[in-house]
């Protein structure tokens, strides 16, 4: 009882400073919307997604825990892996503040981990991403008249394109490099906000 | 006598009263059980903090000593309520005054057993998901959860019908006695079916485990209850009288006979089926488990108590009943140990008529030795059960002051 | 919908870099043929498919060592620091079988057999032990209470219990203390249209595919040459079949 009263009295004070995410939103307005939505709904969104993935095999980036981690937790912090047991960890900072138990990381990994084959193709995919992002702003969707293509086809087109560009043929690594590209492009979009002008500096810093 | 109540069920007046404050005696026994609880809590914390690698359990012996304790407590809970059933349903006057304590003991044993079972789970925090609706009703575990909570609910109402003097309570007394009896059958069958329905394991997968557990529950329950009333009456200097002792002396070996019968049939069936020869010879003519079976379960747990109680040498000896009960409890515990640990110790048969081996203990007899924390967790459950019993006897009028002239 | 639009915009932009719009349209049909297996990320799995494995023990020269290593690498099990050997997780293991009378001997990898009527699913009190619509049996660790009843029920000893706190799990294969785990047929790879890791490690000996589709490689091979189940007497209709046992 006493503790909960303490908690109430703390509500007026400012929430703790959280670690910066690695990707940036197009505008502050979009970012603020994302922050506001996630502050109140992240647990429901994650839980909904968790059941969709477990039972239906739906593995989109939206509300995927791995996507959250990849953006919100740095690959290394002061030269070391940042774990959920550290106070600076994005999730831990806030969960400690509100005294809510954090259960995800009993099983899920708490920091970004590149799979081996992703590491191999990481370099090409970054240069790829850069050129793509530069061109992204110029593209004119309507003139292409491809509205009838569904998402799967679009992915395949992009997949093919990346393969051609890299001239490394194995379809698997091509697919993965595309996957990596898709990851970093869409993470910041996962809160329903499109983003076409992602900063290239973010990507080169990898 | 601080307060008194009159039970109208029995033609003669029976005076029930709470345990009087017996000073050192009561509190030192209570402290003993409370310390058991504390040790159990410590063991739970240790196991839960580190994970199950600190126990003797592993991927082969997945259920260990805590489960032996828990299932013993749960099975004996069902049997302990039998005294109340006999009094109510079969109208045996001798047992009626003892019904209240029988139900209190049954409820307490069940709670103790369930807590041990709960505290051994790997991820207790996820139990809340079951409350939110994640229940698979095809699972015998899920049925058992309903059976266990229903049993406690029935006990509470049944106790009320015994203790309240208003009319509605009296009219419900017998129906609840019958409900309790039927529910107990289902409950013990459910517990036996946990093992009975496992197709994978050679030693389980037999529906006869359900009646075996039912008869075992009578043995465990009667033995625990006998010890409880004898010690309580002696320590509080009340007169237990010979009638009850006589009945208990006659019924306990009868129940043991029933257990022996079901064990005999079970092993005989298994011995007839070639596919079970391996596991039968492992249990009946192997090393450790055979020793436990023949000396522990059969000689100490069954033959000796039968001699003590049926033999002409110890007639009307309370001590004979006490020692027979202790032996029956030890034997019952060993019986569950053989079923639970021995059944898992025998390897799975992936390919009949072939020898198999792997780095994952295929084709070998699995070893198990319980660690201290597992024992302490189990004893903690016993502590919980008897702390509840003692508190119950202290604040409610559970026991009659005198039993002798009845029946 | 917003998401969909953003996907579309980004991908179309990528396409726009080199190729013209018309060229892209003509490219599309060829591509569709190549990646027939992948399901769209946002589409739920259905029971139209039933995934299965066919393991040819004769062609598996190492008895399964390579696929066990691939599984360890993919899921990160097998090296839990504090557990002893009997406690360490074992999603797949190499079992050596020697017939008593004839002395005939062979080795095979044994893992979750992905039964159609799985005993582990029946006994689980919470429904954490589950079978997905496409036949994959797995543990939903979010609701697993760690009672280990499924381990008692499994005839193949395919399940392991995590006995200690773990860190640095694989991102696609969460594992944690107090829950039960087993082979999930690399469900995260299947959802992306890839093969399970063990299949890629021994492509000549292990076939992966849809048992419900009579034209799939696995179904044709099974129809022609058959495939046995371990403990077929239990009638579990397993999704993992063997040749040469």
């Amino acid at each position: 009882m006493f503790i909960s009263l303490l908690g109430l009295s703390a509500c007026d004070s400012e929430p703790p400073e959280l670690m910066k995410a690695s990707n940036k939103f197009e505008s502050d307005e979009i970012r603020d919307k994302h922050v506001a939505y996630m502050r109140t709904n992240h647990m429901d969104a994650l839980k909904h997604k968790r059941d969709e993935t477990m039972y239906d095999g739906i593995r989109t980036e939206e509300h995927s825990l791995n996507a959250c981690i990849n953006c919100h937790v740095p690959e290394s912090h002061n030269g070391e892996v940042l774990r959920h047991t550290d106070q600076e960890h994005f999730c831990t900072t806030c969960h400690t503040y509100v005294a809510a138990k954090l259960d995800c990381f009993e099983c899920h990994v708490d920091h970004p981990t590149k799979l081996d084959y992703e590491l191999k193709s990481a370099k090409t995919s970054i240069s790829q991403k850069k050129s793509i992002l530069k061109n992204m702003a110029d593209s004119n969707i309507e003139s292409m008249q491809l509205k009838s293509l569904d998402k799967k086809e679009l992915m395949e087109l992009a997949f093919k394109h990346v393969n051609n560009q890299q001239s490394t043929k194995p379809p698997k690594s091509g697919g993965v490099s595309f996957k990596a590209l898709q990851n970093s492009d869409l993470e910041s979009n996962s809160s329903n906000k499109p983003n076409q002008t992602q900063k290239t500096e973010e990507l080169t810093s990898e | 006598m601080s307060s008194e109540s009159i039970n109208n069920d029995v033609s003669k007046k029976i005076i029930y009263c709470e345990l009087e404050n017996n000073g050192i005696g009561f509190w030192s026994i209570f402290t003993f059980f409370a310390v058991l609880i504390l040790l159990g809590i410590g063991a739970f914390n240790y196991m839960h903090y580190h994970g199950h690698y600190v126990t003797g359990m592993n991927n082969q012996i997945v259920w260990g000593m805590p489960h032996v304790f828990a299932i013993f407590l749960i099975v004996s809970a069902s049997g302990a309520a039998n005294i109340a059933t006999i009094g109510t349903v079969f109208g045996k006057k001798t047992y009626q005054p003892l019904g209240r304590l029988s139900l209190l003991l049954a409820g307490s044993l069940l709670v103790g057993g369930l807590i041990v079972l709960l505290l051994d789970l790997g991820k207790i925090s996820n139990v809340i998901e079951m409350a939110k609706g994640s229940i698979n009703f095809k699972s015998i575990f899920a049925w058992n959860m309903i059976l266990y909570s229903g049993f406690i609910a029935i006990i509470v109402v049944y106790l009320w019908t015994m203790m309240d003097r208003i009319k509605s309570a009296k009219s419900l007394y017998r129906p609840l006695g019958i409900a309790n009896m039927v529910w107990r059958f289902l409950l013990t069958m459910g517990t036996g079916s946990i093992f009975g329905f496992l197709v994978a394991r050679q030693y389980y997968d037999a529906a006869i485990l359900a009646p075996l557990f039912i008869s075992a529950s009578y043995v465990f329950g009667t033995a625990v209850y006998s010890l409880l009333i004898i010690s309580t009456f002696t320590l509080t200097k009340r007169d237990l009288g010979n009638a009850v002792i006589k009945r208990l002396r006659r019924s306990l070996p009868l129940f043991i006979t029933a257990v022996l019968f079901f064990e005999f049939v079970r092993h005989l069936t298994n011995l007839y089926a070639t596919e079970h020869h391996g596991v039968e010879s492992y249990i009946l003519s192997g090393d450790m488990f055979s020793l436990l079976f023949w000396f522990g379960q059969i000689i100490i747990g069954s033959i000796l108590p039968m001699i003590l109680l049926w033999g002409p040498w110890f007639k009307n000896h309370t001590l004979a009943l006490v020692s027979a009960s202790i032996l029956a409890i030890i034997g019952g515990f060993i019986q569950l140990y053989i079923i639970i640990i021995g059944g898992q110790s025998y390897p799975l048969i992936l390919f009949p008529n072939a020898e198999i081996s792997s780095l994952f203990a295929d084709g070998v007899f699995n070893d198990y030795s319980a660690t201290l924390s597992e024992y302490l967790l189990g004893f903690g459950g016993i502590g919980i059960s008897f702390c509840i019993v003692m508190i119950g006897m202290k604040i409610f009028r559970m026991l009659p002051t005198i039993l002798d002239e009845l029946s | 919908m917003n998401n969909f639009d953003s996907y579309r915009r980004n991908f179309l932009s990528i396409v726009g870099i080199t190729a013209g719009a018309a060229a892209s349209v003509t490219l599309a049909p060829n591509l569709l043929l190549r990646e027939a297996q992948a399901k769209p990320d946002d589409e739920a799995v259905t029971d139209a498919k039933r995934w299965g494995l066919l393991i040819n023990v004769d062609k598996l020269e190492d008895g399964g060592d390579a696929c066990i290593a691939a599984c360890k690498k993919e899921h990160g099990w097998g090296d839990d620091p504090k557990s002893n050997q009997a406690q360490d997780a074992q999603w797949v293991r190499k079992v050596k079988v020697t017939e008593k009378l004839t002395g005939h001997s062979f080795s095979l990898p044994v893992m979750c057999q992905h039964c159609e009527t799985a005993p582990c699913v029946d006994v689980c009190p919470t429904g954490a032990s589950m079978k997905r619509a496409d036949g994959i049996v797995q543990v939903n660790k979010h609701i697993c209470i760690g009672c280990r009843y499924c381990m008692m029920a499994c005839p193949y000893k395919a399940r392991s219990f995590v006995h200690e706190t773990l860190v640095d799990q694989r991102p696609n294969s969460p594992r944690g203390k107090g829950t039960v785990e087993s082979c999930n047929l690399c469900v995260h790879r299947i959802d992306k249209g890839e093969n399970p890791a063990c299949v890629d490690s021994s492509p000549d000996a292990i076939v992966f595919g849809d048992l419900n589709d009579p034209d799939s490689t696995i179904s044709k091979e099974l129809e022609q040459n058959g495939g046995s189940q371990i403990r077929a007497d239990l009638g579990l209709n397993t999704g993992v079949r063997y040749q040469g046992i």
Side-chain angles (χ1 to χ4, degrees):
Chain A
M1 185 51 127
F2 184 62
I3 294 168
S4 65
L5 282 176
L6 278 179
L8 280 176
S9 67
C11 280
D12 299 330
S13 62
E14 277 294 298
E17 186 81 3
L18 292 172
M19 185 165 269
K20 290 263 178 293
S22 54
N23 291 341
K24 284 206 171 68
F25 280 102
E26 180 184 359
S27 72
D28 287 356
E29 189 198 357
I30 297 172
R31 187 201 62 210
D32 291 346
K33 272 187 184 165
H34 171 83
V35 171
Y37 176 79
M38 282 301 170
R39 254 191 207 158
T40 41
N41 298 314
H42 72 277
M43 60 299 273
D44 299 324
L46 281 170
K47 194 172 177 194
H48 181 69
K49 176 70 177 193
R50 146 202 134 173
D51 288 341
E52 276 188 344
T53 309
M54 278 312 302
Y55 297 112
D56 296 333
I58 291 173
R59 287 174 201 274
T60 50
E61 290 290 331
E62 188 180 17
H63 301 155
S64 132
L65 182 63
N66 280 340
C68 301
I69 294 297
N70 287 342
C71 183
H72 279 292
V73 183
E75 276 180 50
S76 75
H77 179 63
N78 300 334
E80 282 184 23
V81 175
L82 186 65
R83 299 184 191 281
H84 75 281
T85 41
D86 302 319
Q87 277 306 307
E88 295 96 327
H89 190 280
F90 180 83
C91 307
T92 309
T93 314
C94 212
H95 270 258
T96 311
Y97 177 72
V98 298
K101 194 182 174 230
L102 188 52
D103 201 37
C104 305
F105 304 120
E106 300 266 305
C107 291
H108 287 273
V109 65
D110 51 10
H111 55 85
T113 313
K114 280 267 185 296
L115 297 170
D116 292 345
Y117 47 83
E118 280 177 349
L119 281 174
K120 257 179 244 163
S121 56
K123 199 162 172 135
T124 43
S125 77
I126 288 170
S127 63
Q128 200 62 47
K129 274 190 276 186
K130 276 202 279 185
S131 70
I132 290 158
L133 287 165
K134 271 179 200 156
N135 287 288
M136 208 173 254
D138 309 331
S139 62
N140 184 338
I141 302 149
E142 309 312 320
S143 69
M144 287 180 164
Q145 302 188 343
L146 286 170
K147 276 180 190 166
S148 61
L149 288 179
D150 67 8
K151 200 175 98 193
K152 187 178 162 195
E153 290 169 308
L154 290 170
M155 286 176 73
E156 279 152 0
L157 285 173
F159 177 83
K160 176 75 175 179
H161 167 75
V162 173
N163 276 347
N164 287 344
Q165 288 255 319
Q166 285 179 0
S167 77
T168 48
K169 210 45 199 168
K172 189 132 295 154
S173 78
V176 170
S177 69
F178 168 67
K179 174 93 176 115
L181 159 82
Q182 182 195 14
N183 276 350
S184 88
D185 275 351
L186 293 178
E187 264 154 25
S188 48
N189 295 340
S190 56
S191 63
N192 309 334
K193 300 291 169 262
N195 175 10
Q196 295 184 8
T197 53
Q198 200 165 20
K199 288 199 176 168
T200 46
E201 297 88 63
E202 301 291 330
L203 298 162
T204 42
S205 67
E206 269 185 38
Chain B
M1 218 102 318
S2 52
S3 47
E4 297 174 351
S5 74
I6 293 160
N7 188 323
N8 297 330
D9 284 326
V10 192
S11 52
K12 290 173 196 172
K13 273 187 186 172
I14 298 172
I15 300 163
Y16 293 86
C17 85
E18 303 91 341
L19 288 189
E20 288 160 62
N21 195 340
N22 290 309
I24 296 283
F26 178 87
W27 289 113
S28 52
I29 297 173
F30 187 80
T31 311
F32 170 74
F33 287 120
V35 168
L36 283 189
I37 297 183
L38 286 179
L39 289 173
I41 293 172
F44 158 69
N45 266 332
Y46 174 67
M47 282 164 60
H48 196 246
Y49 176 77
H50 289 283
H52 277 67
Y53 82 90
V54 297
T55 70
M57 290 178 266
N58 52 43
N59 285 328
Q60 281 70 42
I61 309 286
V62 300
W63 287 348
M65 197 51 89
H67 300 82
V68 178
F69 275 92
I71 292 173
F72 183 85
L73 288 171
I74 291 169
V75 171
S76 44
S78 160
N82 184 43
I83 309 292
T85 302
I86 298 176
T88 310
V89 181
F90 302 105
K92 296 277 183 232
K93 292 261 158 68
T94 326
Y95 279 156
Q96 277 174 6
L98 295 173
R100 297 178 178 187
L101 184 62
S102 149
L103 292 181
L104 174 67
L105 177 65
S108 314
L109 290 172
L110 187 68
V111 169
L114 287 180
I115 288 178
V116 174
L117 212 54
L118 182 77
L119 295 189
D120 180 72
L121 294 177
K123 209 152 164 60
I124 301 167
S125 52
N126 278 357
V127 173
I128 194 78
E129 297 285 340
M130 298 187 74
K132 289 186 201 157
S134 297
I135 296 181
N136 169 26
F137 284 106
K138 209 177 171 187
S139 165
I140 297 153
F141 262 16
W143 303 354
N144 280 347
M145 256 164 265
I146 297 165
L147 290 172
Y148 295 153
S149 40
F151 186 52
I152 290 185
I154 288 181
I155 283 181
V156 170
V157 185
Y158 191 15
L159 257 179
W160 167 72
T161 66
M162 283 183 172
M163 296 173 75
D164 203 329
R165 267 172 289 181
I166 65 167
K167 257 222 169 95
S168 53
K170 291 293 148 239
S171 62
L172 281 172
Y173 173 64
R174 209 179 133 78
L176 268 158
I178 295 168
N180 179 55
M181 179 180 71
V182 174
W183 202 269
R184 283 197 302 115
F185 265 101
L186 294 175
L187 183 142
T188 332
M189 248 166 68
T191 311
S193 303
I194 290 176
F195 301 97
F197 292 177
L198 289 176
V199 292
R201 309 257 167 184
Q202 298 290 308
Y203 199 54
Y204 308 142
D205 187 24
I208 199 166
L209 279 165
L212 176 70
F213 269 65
I214 291 177
S215 51
S217 84
Y218 282 92
V219 176
F220 305 169
T222 310
V224 174
Y225 188 74
S226 305
L227 288 181
L228 178 68
I229 54 163
I230 291 171
S231 53
T232 314
F233 274 78
T234 315
L235 290 171
T236 56
K237 303 192 176 61
R238 301 185 196 200
D239 194 354
L240 184 56
N242 274 331
V244 169
I245 299 282
K246 219 179 192 173
R247 283 201 170 274
L248 290 172
R249 282 188 59 232
R250 253 182 275 150
S251 50
L252 183 59
L254 264 180
F255 298 144
I256 293 175
T257 319
V259 171
L260 283 180
F261 169 73
F262 284 117
E263 281 284 18
F264 175 72
V265 173
R266 182 163 86 106
H267 286 288
L268 195 68
T269 333
N270 274 354
L271 284 169
Y272 215 82
T274 309
E275 62 164 328
H276 291 127
H277 285 179
V279 69
E280 282 301 322
S281 67
Y282 180 60
I283 299 291
L284 299 181
S285 62
D287 301 331
M288 191 187 81
F289 288 106
S290 311
L291 203 72
L292 283 174
F293 180 79
W294 292 111
F295 285 96
Q297 187 187 338
I298 301 299
I299 294 181
I300 296 177
S302 309
I303 308 281
L304 272 182
M306 285 162 98
I307 294 173
L308 281 172
L309 297 173
W310 271 347
W313 310 282
F314 309 105
K315 274 221 165 104
N316 298 329
H317 255 282
T318 313
L319 196 61
L321 180 59
V322 170
S323 30
S325 297
I326 292 173
L327 291 176
I329 288 173
I330 294 172
F333 201 84
I334 290 172
Q335 178 188 12
L336 288 181
Y337 186 87
I338 296 168
I339 291 179
I340 296 170
I341 312 291
Q344 294 174 79
S345 171
Y346 190 75
L348 292 178
I349 305 293
L350 290 183
F351 295 91
N353 296 321
E355 274 173 8
I356 63 171
S357 64
S358 77
L359 293 174
F360 194 51
D362 279 292
V364 298
F365 302 129
N366 301 300
D367 288 330
Y368 172 74
S369 56
T371 54
L372 181 66
S373 50
E374 293 166 82
Y375 282 108
L376 289 181
L377 182 61
F379 281 115
I382 294 177
I384 291 172
S385 298
F386 286 96
C387 274
I388 298 176
V389 170
M390 291 184 79
I391 294 170
M393 287 198 293
K394 189 93 190 144
I395 58 177
F396 293 114
R397 292 160 202 167
M398 282 294 157
L399 270 188
T401 48
I402 189 157
L403 263 180
D404 197 24
E405 76 276 19
L406 294 165
S407 84
Chain C
M1 256 307 122
N2 274 343
N3 244 350
F4 180 86
D5 288 340
S6 67
Y7 277 116
R8 160 178 289 193
R9 220 166 298 154
N10 287 346
F11 295 145
L12 284 175
S13 321
I14 296 164
V15 173
I17 300 165
T18 47
S24 308
V25 173
T26 51
L27 269 174
N30 302 333
L31 287 162
L32 284 173
L33 291 174
R34 254 186 54 204
E35 277 280 309
Q37 251 186 10
K39 111 185 143 51
D41 278 348
D42 60 350
E43 193 179 292
V45 292
T46 65
D47 57 2
K49 283 190 163 62
R50 184 180 176 207
W51 297 119
L53 288 181
L54 176 59
I55 301 172
N56 190 325
V57 174
D58 297 329
K59 289 184 188 165
L60 208 60
E61 277 155 12
D62 55 3
D65 286 332
C67 70
I68 293 168
C71 183
K72 275 187 183 177
K73 201 172 158 210
E74 183 70 27
H75 296 283
W77 57 265
D79 198 20
D80 300 345
K82 287 171 178 162
S83 301
N84 63 34
Q85 205 196 342
Q87 290 169 332
D88 210 353
Q90 193 87 28
W91 288 30
V92 50
R93 63 198 195 268
K94 181 167 134 181
V95 175
K96 187 169 186 240
V97 183
T98 311
E99 216 169 292
K100 276 178 193 158
L101 182 68
T102 60
H104 174 65
S105 175
F106 57 89
S107 290
L108 75 166
V110 178
M111 73 300 259
C112 172
Q113 304 287 302
H114 298 280
C115 312
E116 187 184 23
T117 45
C120 60
V121 175
D122 289 344
V123 300
C124 177
T126 68
S129 182
M130 54 168 280
K131 187 170 71 107
R132 232 169 63 149
D134 54 3
I136 296 174
V137 175
Q138 57 177 353
V139 181
N140 181 356
K141 292 169 192 177
H142 303 108
I143 56 174
C144 171
I145 56 174
C147 70
R148 285 105 81 201
Y149 199 10
C150 55
M151 298 173 73
M152 292 289 275
C154 177
Y156 305 101
K157 212 166 71 168
R159 290 244 159 121
S160 304
F161 182 67
V162 180
H163 287 75
E164 61 182 286
T165 308
L166 299 178
V167 291
D168 292 343
Q169 297 90 335
R170 312 299 290 149
N172 287 321
S173 192
R175 311 175 54 225
K177 181 180 83 180
T179 55
V180 176
E181 56 185 18
S182 63
C183 159
N184 56 15
L185 218 55
C186 284
V187 64
H188 59 286
R189 291 169 67 110
I190 292 176
D191 286 340
K192 280 190 292 185
E194 295 171 21
N195 285 333
C198 56
V199 179
D200 280 350
S201 76
S202 318
D204 299 332
I206 310 181
V207 186
F208 167 76
D210 180 9
L211 297 170
N212 280 353
D213 174 11
D215 296 326
S216 65
T217 321
I218 188 170
S219 298
K220 281 183 187 160
E221 177 62 25
L222 278 170
E223 194 187 0
Q224 264 176 14
N225 300 318
S228 353
Q229 311 172 49
I230 305 178
R231 291 220 62 179
D233 60 315
L234 295 174
L236 301 171
N237 193 14
T238 58
V240 178
R241 304 291 174 111
Y242 294 86
Q243 286 175 339
I245 64 170

